[in-house]
Amino acid sequence: MPHLAGKRILLGISAGIAAYKSAHLARLLKKAGAEVRVVMTEGAQAFITPLTLQALTGEAVRTSLLDPEAEAGMGHIELARWAEVVLIAPATADLMARLAHGHADDLLTTLCLATEADCMMAPAMNQAMWRHPATQDNAVRLAEYGWRLLGPDAGDQACGDVGPGRMLEPESIVAMLSTATEPLPLAPEPLAIPATAMPDHATALDALGLTITLTAGPTREPLDPVRYLTNHSSGKMGYALATAAARHGARVRLISGPVSLATPAGVERIDVESASEMLEAARQAIADSDIFIGCAAVADYRAEQYNEHKIKKTPGDETLVLRLVKNPDIVATMASAEPRPFVVGFAAETRDVEAYARDKLERKNLDMIVANDVSQSGLGFGADENAAVLLWRDADNEPGRLELPPQSKATLADAIIATVVARFHATQREARKAPQQDTP
């Protein structure tokens, strides 16, 4: 992690069972070359001892705002000035609430108010606490104050519940921290999005609390043990979308065909090969998904019959006839599910791009479609840049359109996710306003 070498990181630890992960996190940060100092809340010391953190960092651990020896030199201000990054892991619901409302009633909250460092936190709490509107409001407020939230993850919890609220694993936090300290800006410049597409209260964490499932990359349809049908998709666009969705605050599940790309930090990845495997993974994933984005370049056809042994060349034959059958249409299947998520498709075309895309939007009953011209040199498959046109219909069945010019896939992905989430929120508002039918 070259970008962490020499970084001055103040690690704040609050009172949660996930504090046991903080010891491993401190060790990883030191291993990456960072200078690490630790501040613990009083409650955190019930879960892990200051001596453990002192042994791992080689620095005295601070626990009290009213430490006469430290405060003789205004220790909390010295710590606030020393830090280049303030990282709180775990950050409990209580600590988030206190920071969101400007409290300064212990050493950690006081130095957070006094610092000009980059501030990040890894939330950790029960799934119901994370989902509570007060916690969600606090998370949004913290983002508006400049805090970056890393996670939370979802899964089994110490209390026996299952859902979002787990602290990210230390390895993921270090990876995200390294990305955040690169010399390039973390997030692309925001693009102007039409007011008709935006939610009432767009924020830096507009996807907070949402689960987004994406497909990415190509599929491989086997012919025999050594050959398969596939396409030129690199997966870069789908992975950029997954990264952007996580940055917008969503829990992200990425169903990936075979690609040579690293899993984005904080993203759950499910590897598949064929279209059938991708469909099965998608079916299982949409049960708790708010948004489904079908970005994968799924092979339209597969071999009718798989050959158990390598297909051999026959002397004298100059041609080989393969009988192909249609693969399942994954995005259309998701759009016909009940209940269904907000479904976004992709249309990679070489001519009449918008016409074909609009037809696919209507025919497959999608909520939105992202159309791009893959015939343009330097854009699309395998390239680092892309352009797109986003198409949808609003509540009055009026067509919506947003054109995004050529730009890096990372920047484009951020604009796509912002628009998708905005349309999701708008659709939710429209559904709430729709007259409810009386049940007999």
Side-chain angles (χ1 to χ4, degrees):
M1 301 289 179
H3 295 295
L4 295 183
K7 276 286 179 187
R8 299 190 302 275
I9 299 176
L10 192 147
L11 176 59
I13 304 175
S14 62
I17 185 60
Y20 79 91
K21 296 183 181 180
S22 303
H24 185 39
L25 175 58
R27 182 176 177 274
L28 291 178
L29 291 171
K30 289 290 291 184
K31 189 176 180 180
E35 296 180 48
V36 182
R37 295 185 184 178
V38 176
V39 171
M40 301 177 69
T41 66
E42 180 179 355
Q45 298 169 66
F47 294 92
I48 188 171
T49 67
L51 184 60
T52 300
L53 278 303
Q54 179 175 315
L56 290 169
T57 62
E59 299 282 351
V61 175
R62 295 284 306 280
T63 60
S64 175
L65 175 61
L66 303 177
D67 182 335
E69 183 178 341
E71 288 307 308
M74 297 297 286
H76 68 285
I77 298 297
E78 183 273 330
L79 277 173
R81 290 173 177 166
W82 173 85
E84 293 179 276
V85 176
V86 172
L87 169 64
I88 302 178
T92 62
D94 175 72
L95 183 68
M96 289 177 63
R98 288 191 286 136
L99 287 172
H101 293 85
H103 289 201
D105 49 6
D106 62 8
L107 178 58
L108 185 54
T109 53
T110 299
L111 70 85
C112 285
L113 285 185
T115 191
E116 295 182 356
D118 293 331
C119 293
M120 308 178 194
M121 65 172 63
M125 65 199 72
N126 169 265
Q127 56 84 23
M129 295 172 70
W130 171 251
R131 288 188 168 116
H132 195 282
T135 306
Q136 297 294 298
D137 287 346
N138 290 334
V140 170
R141 179 174 291 193
L142 287 166
E144 291 170 348
Y145 288 162
W147 283 87
R148 180 179 173 184
L149 273 65
L150 310 181
D153 202 352
D156 295 334
Q157 299 186 324
C159 60
D161 284 359
V162 178
R166 286 169 53 95
M167 178 173 140
L168 287 179
E169 294 305 314
E171 291 82 0
S172 295
I173 293 174
V174 172
M176 296 176 83
L177 194 63
S178 180
T179 302
T181 55
E182 290 179 1
L184 294 175
L186 174 65
E189 288 297 315
L191 278 85
I193 298 176
T196 54
M198 291 301 291
D200 290 334
H201 303 289
T203 72
L205 289 174
D206 48 0
L208 201 64
L210 299 182
T211 296
I212 299 179
T213 295
L214 306 98
T215 63
T219 61
R220 290 178 178 173
E221 310 302 328
L223 300 174
D224 61 27
V226 297
R227 301 183 180 93
Y228 51 80
L229 299 173
T230 191
N231 55 60
H232 293 294
S233 174
S234 65
K236 289 180 179 178
M237 191 68 241
Y239 275 61
L241 286 167
T243 301
R247 186 167 57 236
H248 280 252
R251 173 196 176 196
V252 183
R253 186 184 291 117
L254 177 62
I255 303 172
S256 176
V259 298
S260 57
L261 298 171
T263 305
V267 170
E268 176 190 351
R269 174 171 166 177
I270 303 167
D271 287 313
V272 298
E273 289 269 339
S274 67
S276 298
E277 291 175 353
M278 186 171 284
L279 174 62
E280 182 58 30
R283 275 180 171 151
Q284 294 183 27
I286 65 163
D288 64 347
S289 297
D290 300 289
I291 298 171
F292 178 85
I293 303 176
C295 186
V298 181
D300 292 326
Y301 294 89
R302 67 182 187 278
E304 183 179 50
Q305 183 175 351
Y306 171 76
N307 288 271
E308 293 185 4
H309 302 286
K310 180 182 176 183
I311 301 172
K312 307 295 289 186
K313 288 187 286 188
T314 304
D317 285 351
E318 298 299 324
T319 60
L320 173 67
V321 177
L322 294 173
R323 186 173 178 84
L324 305 178
V325 295
K326 271 189 176 182
N327 265 326
D329 191 321
I330 295 175
V331 73
T333 303
M334 298 303 104
S336 63
E338 193 61 45
R340 72 191 286 279
F342 184 90
V343 180
V344 182
F346 268 67
E349 305 290 351
T350 58
R351 60 188 175 92
D352 298 329
V353 175
E354 288 196 43
Y356 281 124
R358 183 69 72 175
D359 173 70
K360 183 183 288 188
L361 175 74
E362 305 290 349
R363 179 166 40 85
K364 298 187 179 184
N365 191 33
L366 308 180
D367 296 291
M368 179 179 286
I369 195 161
V370 182
N372 61 308
D373 186 347
V374 295
S375 68
Q376 296 186 54
S377 177
L379 299 177
F381 285 151
D384 292 324
E385 292 198 345
N386 207 351
V389 176
L390 279 57
L391 305 171
W392 66 88
R393 283 197 176 276
D394 62 19
D396 298 322
N397 206 32
E398 292 297 323
R401 182 183 186 277
L402 176 64
E403 184 169 355
L404 301 172
Q407 56 203 283
S408 74
K409 285 183 175 177
T411 306
L412 182 68
D414 199 74
I416 291 173
I417 290 296
T419 311
V420 167
V421 172
R423 284 304 308 156
F424 168 81
H425 287 307
T427 302
Q428 295 294 103
R429 291 198 312 277
E430 290 159 3
R432 288 194 294 269
K433 292 177 182 177
Q436 301 296 313
Q437 293 184 346
D438 294 332
T439 55

